[in-house]
Every structure is written in structure tokens, then in C-alpha cells.
Amino acid sequence: MLKNREEIEQDMRKAKAIIAAGLTAAMLFGCGSAGDESVSGLSVEKLEDVTKPEEAVAEATVEETVDEDVPPAEGMVRSYFTNEWVDEAVNTNRPLAVMYPINKEAQPQYGLSNVAVFYEIMEEGSMSRQMGILENWESLERIGNIRSIRDYFVYAALEYDPIIVHYGGPELYVKSILTRDDVDNLNGVGGVMGSDYGAFFRVPEGSTSEHTAFTDGAHVTAAIEKAKFETEHRDDFEGESHFTFTGYSNPNTLEDYGESAVEATDIDMSGCFPVTKSALTYDESKGVYLKTLYGSAQKDAVTGEQLAFANVIIQRTYHEVRDDNGYLAYQMHDTTRDGYFITKGKMIHVTWEKTGDYAPTTYYDDAGNEVVLNTGKTMIFVIQEKGGSFSKFTVNGVTYAD
């Protein structure tokens, strides 16, 4: 069983304590008399340096903190999507792109603890929807609940080369993208947009109401085999870190940006998502942003953990209203739009570009340098461009509309 970061750090502390104890023992029981010029082959001058275990521990701490290239266990590599240590198979295997409803009655949901990158984007009816890019999903005992998809979510997902998991969608706008040869999807309603391949079940069993459709790792695995989808990343996937990351020992605090980096500990997205009132609060002790919906913690139904993100991106996007039903379109390929990057209690202005379906969306600071993300999960809010009905958000009491 893989150790989490807290367990690894605890092991490191124990190791340091053993080092200190060993050094103390060497002082007490070393060979030679008090008057000898050397003790156990060490000069008195050198012994004085060694007999300060707290300094030795501090030295060991520096070395262990700085060296982040050594995996905590054999066969582990850096996740393409979070930069955290994962089994190599996690990078080899394709993730899932799961469509989660965001309705209040649909909470809490299953599988959120395995989300590496999380999206929230508006849909019709002044309501938003969520999509999670799930890593290491094979052993999950329940995923969902699951709802319908929109085409702009597909375009957002493709850069991760996922298996898309959804429960239908407006055929007029999603059929053309979902039926492309390179788009592998498990569609809970079946039909012209793709088969369900037996991937879904209802809880409670026999229910036909919304928010009751689920799947799990075993069902998805069987469905992928039945559909003959590739389980490992395909050639179009870049096969390298999706974002530019920095490690734990040298975090990007945004301090290098001086006054351009503003305080960002309370993020209120209710102006963009008026129903869900999505928001995040910075937990300085953990260095992450905690997510809330409807004024309450958004949690994984199994673990009870609140969603926490090292990085938050607000991505302004060109949009249109498609028809009288209010269906929306968002332009997920662009080189001209802007947004904001938030991490470690600070926020900077950015621009972004995406030049192809499988090309990662890349974010740049105002000097044209690619933004460096901190190791951990990322929350991406795709919002309407300036002047849109849902384009305002507030950070530490300051409203950003332009």
C-alpha cells in the first residue's frame, strides 16, 4: 500500500531521531580516554562538530527536503497532472473524464478524491456543471453520480486523452464530437452518441430519476474491454507533464511578481455561478484552497474529505448563446483570452492558449513566461469573457469584472 505524504514525512522524522540518537551514543561510548588526541579515529576538533546532533538533523533535513528526485518507493513517478508521486501505471493508463452534476440534491459525490484536475463551467438555465479528470480510478467502488455532457467539456477533456464518462447530452451539439473516431466515450443513455457498454448502474436499483446513475472501476474496466478502447495513452497524447510544476521544497509563492501579485485567500465565484455559489478559502497551514458549494464544504462521499486544490485557475473564454433553449457554446481553442492564476494565497493576471484538441491549455504571466504550478490538484473555472452575464467574481472583497 502506497504511503501518503504525511506518512512519508513521519518516516523521515523517525529516521532523523535515529540519526540523532546514534550520534549521541557515539559521544558516550566512543573508544579512547578523555585525554586521547582522537576518539574512534576522529580528531577532537572534528568531534566537537559531530557532537551537535541537532545540527546534524538540521543538515539531514535540508538534504532530504531539497532532493525531490528520489521516489518514496520503487516504481513511482511524477503524475503528469499533479506532479505528485504515483505508480508508473497511473501515468501509463488513460484517466477518466467524468461528468458530475453540481445540483445541491446531487451532493456529496463519489470519486472526487481521485480528481487531479476539476472543471466548473456554466451550462443552460443559469446552472453550471463539473467535470473531473480522475487518475488511479480502477479500484474505486463507486463513481458519480453522473450526468450529461456538453461539447465544450469534451474539448476541455481531450488534452488529457481520457475515457469520457457521461449520461447523454444534447444530440444536436454533442453528436459530431462524441462520434469522432478518436473520442472514446461511455454513454449511459446509449444510442447514436455511443453505447453504455454495460458501464452504469442505478442507486437505488431500478430508479430512473436524475442523480441516481453511477459506475465504478470494475464496470468501467469491463466496458473499456468490451468497447475495445485503448487502455494506455495513445500517440496523440504528449506523454509528459501536463503543466509546468515546481516541487514542495521550492514552492511558487508568487512573491517574485511583487505588487502584481495580490492577496487571494477568499475566492467567491458566485457572480459566475449564481446557483452553486462556488467558493474557495485558503488554508495556509496546508497550502491549499478548500472548495465549497452552496455555502458548505464540497466533499467526497466515501472519504469525507473536502476538495482541496494547490492551484486555482480562472479562465475567461469567448461564449455564445446557441438557441432559444439557452444552450451555450464556449471557445476552448484560443490564443487571445486572459484569466488569473491563484496559489499560496496570491493571485496574478495571466493569458492562455490552446492550439489543438490534444495540446495542453497553457497559461502565461504578463511577461510572457509560462506559469509554474505548485505540486497538487488544480481547480479550473471556465467563465464568460468580460461583459458576459456570468463574468464577475470577487477575491478578498475586490470584484473583477473587466
Side-chain angles (χ1 to χ4, degrees):
M1 182 174 172
L2 299 178
K3 295 184 178 181
N4 59 34
R5 182 170 178 79
E6 185 177 345
E7 291 171 326
I8 293 167
E9 290 176 344
Q10 188 175 30
D11 290 346
M12 289 167 59
R13 288 194 295 270
K14 290 179 180 177
K16 293 168 193 170
I18 292 170
I19 291 171
L23 290 168
T24 303
M27 289 188 294
L28 295 175
F29 302 109
C31 299
S33 65
D36 287 345
E37 175 110 342
S38 65
V39 180
S40 298
L42 294 178
S43 67
V44 173
E45 182 180 359
K46 290 181 180 178
L47 181 61
E48 288 175 354
D49 292 335
V50 173
T51 56
K52 296 177 181 176
E54 68 277 2
E55 291 180 7
V57 171
E59 241 176 68
T61 303
V62 171
E63 290 178 1
E64 290 170 355
T65 302
V66 170
D67 187 4
E68 294 190 344
D69 294 328
V70 179
E74 186 177 354
M76 299 189 78
V77 296
R78 291 289 188 181
S79 162
Y80 289 146
F81 307 136
T82 67
N83 199 49
E84 296 173 333
W85 288 110
V86 295
D87 280 339
E88 188 173 5
V90 174
N91 274 355
T92 302
N93 296 337
R94 297 168 69 187
L96 302 183
V98 179
M99 291 305 303
Y100 286 98
I102 203 167
N103 308 62
K104 191 172 186 178
E105 59 271 26
Q107 308 303 315
Q109 294 163 322
Y110 296 80
L112 297 183
S113 292
N114 289 61
V115 166
V117 184
F118 207 42
Y119 287 83
E120 183 173 352
I121 315 177
M122 284 296 293
E123 57 176 21
E124 67 282 356
S126 300
M127 191 62 173
S128 54
R129 189 146 293 182
Q130 306 167 122
M131 179 178 70
I133 306 301
L134 272 67
E135 290 184 312
N136 199 23
W137 50 265
E138 291 86 346
S139 62
L140 289 176
E141 295 183 358
R142 191 183 296 186
I143 301 169
N145 44 32
I146 299 166
R147 289 292 301 277
S148 59
I149 199 167
R150 305 294 180 266
D151 58 346
Y152 42 89
F153 279 105
V154 180
Y155 286 112
L158 284 177
E159 60 191 74
Y160 304 94
D161 189 29
I163 307 293
I164 298 172
V165 181
H166 65 105
Y167 221 80
E171 182 179 331
L172 177 62
Y173 300 121
V174 297
K175 179 182 176 182
S176 61
I177 181 68
L178 286 178
T179 54
R180 271 177 28 180
D181 289 341
D182 64 316
V183 178
D184 293 338
N185 77 104
L186 305 176
N187 173 22
V189 302
V192 296
M193 293 184 293
S195 172
D196 67 355
Y197 298 103
F200 301 86
F201 53 85
R202 294 277 187 171
V203 179
E205 185 177 355
S207 173
T208 58
S209 63
E210 61 182 3
H211 310 318
T212 62
F214 296 86
T215 188
D216 58 30
H219 277 77
V220 171
T221 299
I224 290 173
E225 183 176 351
K226 186 175 181 180
K228 295 181 169 55
F229 295 154
E230 293 288 337
T231 58
E232 297 185 354
H233 278 295
R234 302 168 299 176
D235 291 342
D236 284 332
F237 182 68
E238 289 191 352
E240 56 187 32
S241 180
H242 191 75
F243 304 107
T244 297
F245 286 104
T246 186
Y248 290 109
S249 63
N250 59 331
N252 182 7
T253 63
L254 300 183
E255 291 178 359
D256 292 344
Y257 290 92
E259 294 182 357
S260 298
V262 300
E263 294 296 319
T265 54
D266 292 292
I267 305 165
D268 180 0
M269 300 300 297
S270 59
C272 300
F273 308 107
V275 176
T276 65
K277 294 180 172 53
S278 292
L280 300 109
T281 302
Y282 184 56
D283 184 336
E284 186 174 3
S285 65
K286 297 179 181 178
V288 294
Y289 287 84
L290 302 175
K291 179 97 163 32
T292 60
L293 288 178
Y294 306 101
S296 299
Q298 185 175 8
K299 297 181 179 181
D300 184 288
V302 174
T303 65
E305 295 176 353
Q306 186 173 4
L307 269 65
F309 300 95
N311 311 288
V312 180
I313 294 169
I314 300 173
Q315 180 177 328
R316 287 189 173 130
T317 312
Y318 172 80
H319 85 288
E320 294 179 353
V321 179
R322 282 173 154 156
D323 56 27
D324 292 339
N325 294 318
Y327 281 109
L328 303 176
Y330 286 86
Q331 185 168 306
M332 304 306 295
H333 298 68
D334 209 331
T335 60
T336 64
R337 307 294 162 175
D338 73 336
Y340 294 87
F341 171 57
I342 303 170
T343 192
K344 300 296 181 184
K346 297 283 187 177
M347 178 176 78
I348 60 169
H349 180 262
V350 297
T351 57
W352 63 272
E353 69 173 23
K354 179 176 171 64
T355 57
D357 286 351
Y358 290 90
T361 305
T362 308
Y363 304 89
Y364 300 93
D365 63 24
D366 288 343
N369 303 308
E370 185 175 348
V371 168
V372 178
L373 274 63
N374 281 301
T375 294
K377 301 180 180 183
T378 299
M379 176 77 223
I380 301 177
F381 295 107
V382 176
I383 68 171
Q384 297 175 5
E385 62 181 344
K386 304 170 187 178
S389 301
F390 306 108
S391 60
K392 299 179 181 180
F393 61 94
T394 301
V395 175
N396 284 40
V398 179
T399 298
Y400 292 80
D402 299 318

